[in-house]
Tab-separated table of all heavy atoms in Angstrom:
chain	number	residue	atom	x	y	z
A	54	GLY	N	1.434	27.191	23.897
A	54	GLY	CA	1.560	25.791	24.363
A	54	GLY	C	1.422	25.673	25.836
A	54	GLY	O	1.770	26.612	26.587
A	55	ASN	N	0.952	24.557	26.298
A	55	ASN	CA	0.907	24.302	27.735
A	55	ASN	C	0.901	22.818	28.048
A	55	ASN	O	0.619	21.993	27.194
A	55	ASN	CB	-0.284	25.011	28.431
A	55	ASN	CG	-1.482	25.156	27.502
A	55	ASN	OD1	-2.178	24.183	27.264
A	55	ASN	ND2	-1.672	26.354	26.972
A	100	GLU	N	-5.835	28.183	29.010
A	100	GLU	CA	-6.340	27.052	28.256
A	100	GLU	C	-6.611	25.819	29.142
A	100	GLU	O	-6.731	24.731	28.646
A	100	GLU	CB	-5.372	26.747	27.101
A	100	GLU	CG	-5.322	27.890	26.128
A	100	GLU	CD	-4.517	27.599	24.870
A	100	GLU	OE1	-3.367	27.188	24.954
A	100	GLU	OE2	-5.082	27.766	23.791
A	103	LEU	N	-9.241	23.197	28.112
A	103	LEU	CA	-8.871	22.155	27.098
A	103	LEU	C	-8.394	20.898	27.861
A	103	LEU	O	-8.737	19.781	27.457
A	103	LEU	CB	-7.719	22.617	26.220
A	103	LEU	CG	-7.849	23.881	25.406
A	103	LEU	CD1	-6.553	24.071	24.595
A	103	LEU	CD2	-9.028	23.725	24.448
A	119	HIS	N	-0.383	20.488	24.950
A	119	HIS	CA	-1.025	21.286	23.917
A	119	HIS	C	0.015	22.209	23.336
A	119	HIS	O	0.709	22.931	24.045
A	119	HIS	CB	-2.183	22.082	24.525
A	119	HIS	CG	-2.644	23.195	23.645
A	119	HIS	ND1	-3.156	22.952	22.363
A	119	HIS	CD2	-2.689	24.538	23.804
A	119	HIS	CE1	-3.500	24.098	21.797
A	119	HIS	NE2	-3.220	25.079	22.645
A	121	HIS	N	1.209	24.812	19.734
A	121	HIS	CA	0.847	25.530	18.510
A	121	HIS	C	1.911	25.133	17.487
A	121	HIS	O	2.747	25.958	17.102
A	121	HIS	CB	0.809	27.000	18.705
A	121	HIS	CG	-0.251	27.488	19.693
A	121	HIS	ND1	-0.429	28.819	19.950
A	121	HIS	CD2	-1.187	26.804	20.405
A	121	HIS	CE1	-1.443	28.939	20.840
A	121	HIS	NE2	-1.902	27.702	21.126
A	186	HIS	N	-5.545	26.242	15.306
A	186	HIS	CA	-5.022	26.452	16.642
A	186	HIS	C	-3.889	25.460	16.984
A	186	HIS	O	-2.746	25.902	17.062
A	186	HIS	CB	-6.222	26.341	17.630
A	186	HIS	CG	-5.821	26.666	19.050
A	186	HIS	ND1	-6.807	26.833	20.014
A	186	HIS	CD2	-4.662	26.795	19.670
A	186	HIS	CE1	-6.208	27.094	21.189
A	186	HIS	NE2	-4.907	27.066	20.990
B	22	LIG	ZN1	-3.449	27.105	22.356
Side-chain angles (χ1 to χ4, degrees):
N55 31 75
E100 296 187 306
L103 302 180
H119 164 60
H121 295 182
H186 184 168

